[in-house]
Amino acid sequence: MLRIAFVLMALLTHPQLNVDGAAATAPPRTSGVHDIETRLDNGARARFTLALPDTLDDAGTHPLIVVLHYGGHPTRYYGRPLVEQLFRPALAGLAAIYLAPESTGGQWTDVANEAFVMRLLDAITAYYPVDRDRIVIAGYSMGAIGSWYLLEHYPECFSAAVPVAGLPAGTVTTAAPVYTLAAPNDEIFAFERFEALVAERRSAGQVIEFASVPAQGHYDIQGFRTALAAVAPWLEGIWNTTPSR
């Protein structure tokens, strides 16, 4: 266990750690949105955005929202706009920590990205005061596909998932709670597929909420912000009725 913890923490204390464009000896603890670059075991650069609340409660009461970005060729800190412009404003009342990894190319469902997200998740929960019973996996479009995937494969790690404008790539068997949102005029995913999935999962006994959002289409990210605000009280309800793991 000590060796595992050391390996995980090495991701956040690497000698070449960079925070907000400057060399650093430790991850940030000040409030705000931070861009962080570190190194993987193979020497490759790995980047992520981290948003911290106004104050950190060392008692470990903060939810952690993991935000997976959409598709396209990732630019540096590709997930930051989703944190700043969508999830953090919509879920402001949760006093959460937000983590947005930058993928290494490809899908969130590939081996390298899956490993990076889960290793980074372990490192963040070891370093920051995160309530491990209130970790949420979320994402937009390709990130929504990834959130379905990780919830399916690591249901013990996440209290809920919030996939926005994206459907699962494979079969869903998990019973973990999900709040999903879609626009009726989505150009990528047929709205009827969302409706069918929700009906199927409800009949299987899964707790799943579904919001039809009047966005201007798949690429109207800001069009989801108002509707996403309903997720905060839903999450609090899930957390208040689910026994600690």
Side-chain angles (χ1 to χ4, degrees):
M1 288 299 294
L2 288 176
R3 183 179 181 278
I4 293 173
F6 175 79
V7 170
L8 293 174
M9 289 308 300
L11 197 64
L12 299 184
T13 56
H14 193 279
Q16 296 184 46
L17 184 72
N18 187 294
V19 177
D20 298 328
T25 57
R29 292 188 68 87
T30 55
S31 64
V33 183
H34 303 279
D35 292 329
I36 302 172
E37 182 177 278
T38 186
R39 296 274 180 164
L40 301 177
D41 298 336
N42 61 5
R45 290 183 175 87
R47 289 182 286 264
F48 60 95
T49 295
L50 185 71
L52 300 176
D54 291 340
T55 57
L56 282 174
D57 180 356
D58 287 331
T61 60
H62 295 285
L64 175 64
I65 315 294
V66 182
V67 178
L68 305 182
H69 63 66
Y70 29 66
H73 181 70
T75 54
R76 292 170 66 88
Y77 307 109
Y78 199 48
R80 178 169 178 147
L82 281 177
V83 172
E84 287 189 307
Q85 301 171 24
L86 185 61
F87 285 96
R88 197 177 187 215
L91 308 179
L94 297 179
I97 297 170
Y98 294 83
L99 170 64
E102 176 191 319
S103 73
T104 58
Q107 304 292 315
W108 288 114
T109 54
D110 71 29
V111 173
N113 283 319
E114 177 183 349
F116 175 48
V117 172
M118 297 310 297
R119 182 178 174 188
L120 186 56
L121 172 63
D122 283 343
I124 293 296
T125 54
Y127 188 85
Y128 290 98
V130 170
D131 184 342
R132 292 175 183 266
D133 290 322
R134 296 195 292 166
I135 300 176
V136 177
I137 186 71
Y140 193 97
S141 189
M142 184 182 84
I145 297 172
S147 63
W148 280 107
Y149 175 84
L150 291 176
L151 185 70
E152 180 72 18
H153 287 80
Y154 302 93
E156 73 284 358
C157 293
F158 303 107
S159 63
V162 185
V164 181
L167 290 162
T171 302
V172 179
T173 62
T174 179
V178 172
Y179 196 123
T180 188
L181 304 90
N185 56 347
D186 191 302
E187 307 95 322
I188 306 299
F189 301 96
F191 189 74
E192 293 77 14
R193 292 178 61 198
F194 287 96
E195 295 179 311
L197 173 68
V198 170
E200 187 276 326
R201 294 313 304 152
R202 284 176 175 165
S203 68
Q206 185 175 15
V207 175
I208 184 166
E209 291 294 326
F210 177 50
S212 173
V213 180
Q216 298 304 306
H218 184 80
Y219 301 99
D220 179 19
I221 296 173
Q222 288 300 312
F224 286 83
R225 182 166 160 176
T226 299
L228 194 62
V231 173
W234 178 81
L235 284 172
E236 290 178 324
I238 293 294
W239 294 332
N240 288 336
T241 56
T242 303
S244 297
R245 290 171 290 172

